Amino acid sequence: MPEWMGRAACRDTDPELFFPIGTTGPAAAQIDDAKTICRSCPVAEPCRDHAHAIGTRDGIWGGLTETERANLRRRLQRARHRA
């Protein structure tokens, strides 16, 4: 386990919170709850980096949903191509 995980704000939270099924209705509230925890997390950036490094597409990592992480990846790729 990476060292930063022991400092994560979610370390004592049920992991299921970070893996909602869907994006509407109860899942939207679940996403909001997970993101609230992530906003207070001192290791949100390493968490996002870890999700990218392991190639996970599921769940909320570092305060970003699957869609938000995919958008970030695309923006970073475009920036690299322009450089």
Side-chain angles (χ1 to χ4, degrees):
M1 169 181 3
E3 163 278 322
W4 59 264
M5 283 186 175
R7 295 182 289 123
C10 65
R11 69 185 168 279
D12 296 323
T13 304
D14 182 351
E16 292 297 316
L17 176 67
F18 298 90
F19 294 92
I21 303 199
T23 57
T24 60
Q30 186 177 345
I31 290 167
D32 288 343
D33 290 346
K35 285 182 164 195
T36 296
I37 292 170
C38 293
R39 277 192 291 277
S40 70
C41 186
V43 294
E45 187 174 341
C47 181
R48 283 190 299 270
D49 293 346
H50 178 72
H52 178 72
I54 65 172
T56 189
R57 300 280 188 232
D58 298 321
I60 297 165
W61 292 79
L64 299 179
T65 65
E66 298 98 332
T67 302
E68 292 164 337
R69 286 194 316 278
N71 291 339
L72 178 60
R73 278 191 302 274
R74 282 191 291 277
R75 283 193 309 270
L76 291 173
Q77 287 173 346
R78 281 194 301 267
R80 278 189 222 121
H81 286 134
R82 283 186 230 136

